[in-house]
Amino acid sequence: MALVKEKKQEKDSEKLTEKKSDKPVAKLAVQGEEKVRAELAKGSKVSIISLVDAMIESAFKSRASDIHMDPEESRVRVRFRIDGVMHETYELPKGIQSEISTRIKVLSGLRTDEHQAAQDGRFRISIKGDGGAFVDIRVSIVPTYYGENVVMRLLAEQAGVFNLEGLGFVGKDLEKVKRAVTKPYGMILATGPTGSGKTTTLYTILKILNTPEVSIVTVEDPVEYAISGIDQIQVNPRTNLTFAKGLRAILRQDPNIIMVGEIRDEETAGIAVNAALTGHLLLSTLHTNDAPTAFPRLIDMKVEPFLIASTVNVVIGQRLVRRICLHCKVEKQPSEGELKSLSEILPPEALKGKMVFYVGKGCKACDESGYLGRVGIHEVMEVEDEIRDGIMHRANADEIRTIAVKNGMTTMIQDGFSKVLEGLTTVEEILRVIHE
Ligand SMILES: [Zn+2]
């Protein structure tokens, strides 16, 4: 059901994108388009197998993270999510809709005679030729009024390329994360909505921690990247292996470092805090909008404030924004609209003096979108005495934030704005993710 919720958020963010962006997101020249079009041109002689393969290959080559197939009254709309933004890519005839979903069900080992229930599965395909790779694909099929809605998430084997600097951690934030990583026990929490890159941040930290001297175990839903040297357990509702049950099992093996994919219920929260209290370094994510909200959220999950105060080392809040394409980047003057929007979210002193912004004009390398790749914007909150005091007194998120800022925390918006001034991203992007 999580995917259904995710889908709704996507719809919302999409609306925002359309409103905020002056470039239309609807049309985009995707890679590998010829093959798909050639197959569709065969009309009634279309090979469903080749068509599905061609669409997946096209998505992979366009760097898409998801393929959405939405059935409508008279067609099936196919959209790719690239750098976090949805793009309309193909339109399939209504007549082949059920054959397409049957093919995807066969690939992912799902029941082809089931049309009324939601099903989840996965499969792996190899993309041949230049830039070929194995791609794991997670599939979610949900029945809708016009037929089955299919979402495929492409999980490429790319965990190896990340480091903290590459994710966009800079200056004090980078130091704070590095400091938290050297502590032998306690909690490191990453927060943000779905698709904010928090799991990637934790994987990157795990890679730093992954040395032969320590044992690391994770319980995840799903296991997104395989890391050698780490025992990774997949949550499985069918066998009743939940985060909480997985975590209990892990603790019996007494590893040094544990990663729990997400803390979303009281039971998991309780076990996680206890693990951190008894000498383990525990990494996890919380689905909150920002770092300070992590504490009230844990209290909502019935964790005692003094336990939170004595276990949490650091909370990272984050979002992902698109990077300006380096191949077509040009300077631009801030528009009045941008300055007005910025004045609503930044202190006046941040907007003094002459500023230069940047923008991607659009080129072949970025498929005319002006963006290529993504970078994180962060706020890193270290739990020091004053914050600890606030937690003990059940301070709300705003109060915690005020203390953190007074003691030098850079907020996510400030970090984003400094990345605008550095020419890494645009004001448009910052506003898009902040308002999501
Ligand atoms: Zn470009």
Side-chain angles (χ1 to χ4, degrees):
M1 280 297 95
L3 269 164
V4 178
K5 212 168 99 210
E6 214 167 292
K7 209 159 150 28
K8 191 191 163 297
Q9 282 171 348
E10 278 157 15
K11 289 241 166 76
D12 293 345
S13 68
E14 210 184 325
K15 267 184 231 137
L16 271 164
T17 316
E18 276 160 21
K19 198 174 64 204
K20 293 256 165 4
S21 166
D22 27 355
K23 280 196 197 80
V25 292
K27 212 66 205 147
L28 158 116
V30 291
Q31 308 292 315
E33 198 179 16
E34 327 74 55
K35 268 195 199 170
V36 178
R37 304 251 178 253
E39 205 52 61
L40 283 171
K42 291 181 189 164
S44 59
K45 296 211 168 55
V46 62
S47 153
I48 299 295
I49 294 179
S50 310
L51 180 62
V52 170
D53 284 356
M55 277 196 292
I56 294 171
E57 186 177 324
S58 166
F60 176 76
K61 291 190 169 156
S62 309
R63 300 179 301 105
S65 58
D66 306 81
I67 306 171
H68 288 243
M69 294 190 188
D70 307 312
E72 293 178 358
E73 191 172 5
S74 57
R75 60 168 192 163
V76 179
R77 195 158 69 119
V78 179
R79 292 177 301 163
F80 289 176
R81 176 185 287 279
I82 301 169
D83 292 337
V85 176
M86 295 287 257
H87 297 274
E88 197 142 320
T89 44
Y90 301 112
E91 193 180 301
L92 308 179
K94 188 76 179 168
I96 59 170
Q97 176 184 322
S98 66
E99 288 174 80
I100 297 267
S101 50
T102 299
R103 172 63 186 158
I104 293 165
K105 285 177 183 171
V106 168
L107 283 169
S108 19
L110 300 177
R111 289 184 56 174
T112 52
D113 59 345
E114 175 61 78
H115 302 284
Q116 305 306 324
Q119 296 195 75
D120 294 323
R122 62 195 294 164
F123 63 94
R124 162 176 276 213
I125 66 161
S126 86
I127 308 274
K128 297 188 181 65
D130 226 14
F134 281 109
V135 185
D136 283 317
I137 297 172
R138 186 154 60 110
V139 178
S140 159
I141 298 181
V142 178
T144 69
Y145 184 70
Y146 289 119
E148 288 168 307
N149 178 295
V150 180
V151 178
M152 291 190 270
R153 171 155 291 179
L154 280 62
L155 310 165
E157 296 168 326
Q158 53 185 6
V161 305
F162 301 123
N163 58 40
L164 289 172
E165 291 85 347
L167 295 182
F169 285 95
V170 286
K172 278 187 299 179
D173 286 352
L174 181 62
E175 283 167 32
K176 284 190 245 175
V177 176
K178 285 187 167 167
R179 220 169 14 241
V181 167
T182 61
K183 300 210 168 127
Y185 58 90
M187 284 172 100
I188 298 176
L189 295 172
T191 66
T194 305
S196 57
K198 50 191 194 291
T199 307
T200 304
T201 297
L202 293 190
Y203 272 116
T204 306
I205 294 175
L206 277 186
K207 271 180 51 205
I208 299 172
L209 292 166
N210 189 14
T211 61
E213 297 80 45
V214 296
S215 61
I216 305 180
V217 186
T218 72
V219 50
E220 304 172 62
D221 183 24
V223 171
E224 291 199 21
Y225 308 111
I227 309 177
S228 70
I230 296 183
D231 294 326
Q232 294 171 281
I233 301 169
Q234 162 88 47
V235 163
N236 188 345
R238 257 165 261 155
T239 59
N240 205 17
L241 178 60
T242 58
F243 278 125
K245 289 218 166 62
L247 192 48
R248 270 191 219 286
I250 288 174
L251 280 169
R252 286 194 284 272
Q253 302 180 350
D254 201 25
N256 304 97
I257 298 158
I258 301 165
M259 178 171 97
V260 186
E262 190 185 343
I263 297 178
R264 57 184 172 207
D265 57 79
E266 288 174 22
E267 193 184 5
T268 310
I271 310 169
V273 167
N274 259 307
L277 202 63
T278 52
H280 305 88
L281 186 62
L282 189 129
L283 283 64
S284 192
T285 68
L286 279 174
H287 203 284
T288 64
N289 273 331
D290 54 22
T293 312
F295 306 119
R297 177 61 54 84
L298 286 170
I299 293 177
D300 281 349
M301 288 193 262
K302 306 274 191 298
V303 183
E304 288 295 331
F306 77 94
L307 288 176
I308 301 169
S310 49
T311 52
V312 180
N313 297 337
V314 73
V315 185
I316 302 163
Q318 70 172 76
R319 293 288 188 284
L320 287 177
V321 294
R322 289 184 292 171
R323 266 183 204 267
I324 296 175
C325 171
L326 283 177
H327 306 280
C328 60
K329 180 169 138 180
V330 290
E331 286 189 7
K332 68 161 245 184
Q333 292 309 310
S335 73
E336 271 192 26
E338 282 171 333
L339 290 174
K340 187 172 171 294
S341 307
L342 285 170
S343 69
E344 286 161 13
I345 53 173
L346 284 166
E349 59 272 19
L351 297 168
K352 277 200 183 120
K354 195 172 135 45
M355 291 179 292
V356 180
F357 292 174
Y358 299 83
V359 68
K361 281 185 312 190
C363 69
K364 251 201 144 92
C366 60
D367 288 327
E368 307 300 331
S369 70
Y371 295 101
L372 195 59
R374 287 192 283 180
V375 65
I377 60 173
H378 305 101
E379 58 191 16
V380 182
M381 180 184 288
E382 254 181 328
V383 179
E384 30 74 14
D385 289 344
E386 233 177 305
I387 301 245
R388 224 167 264 137
D389 214 47
I391 299 169
M392 302 284 276
H393 292 97
R394 295 174 186 262
N396 65 31
D398 284 340
E399 291 160 344
I400 300 266
R401 164 178 299 278
T402 306
I403 302 171
V405 169
K406 176 175 71 86
N407 293 342
M409 182 183 83
T410 309
T411 64
M412 221 172 338
I413 295 170
Q414 286 167 339
D415 185 44
F417 185 56
S418 67
K419 281 170 175 140
V420 167
L421 294 178
E422 275 174 59
L424 284 172
T425 190
T426 60
V427 171
E428 213 180 328
E429 273 298 285
I430 304 299
L431 297 175
R432 178 176 70 87
V433 300
I434 295 293
H435 291 128
E436 243 168 31

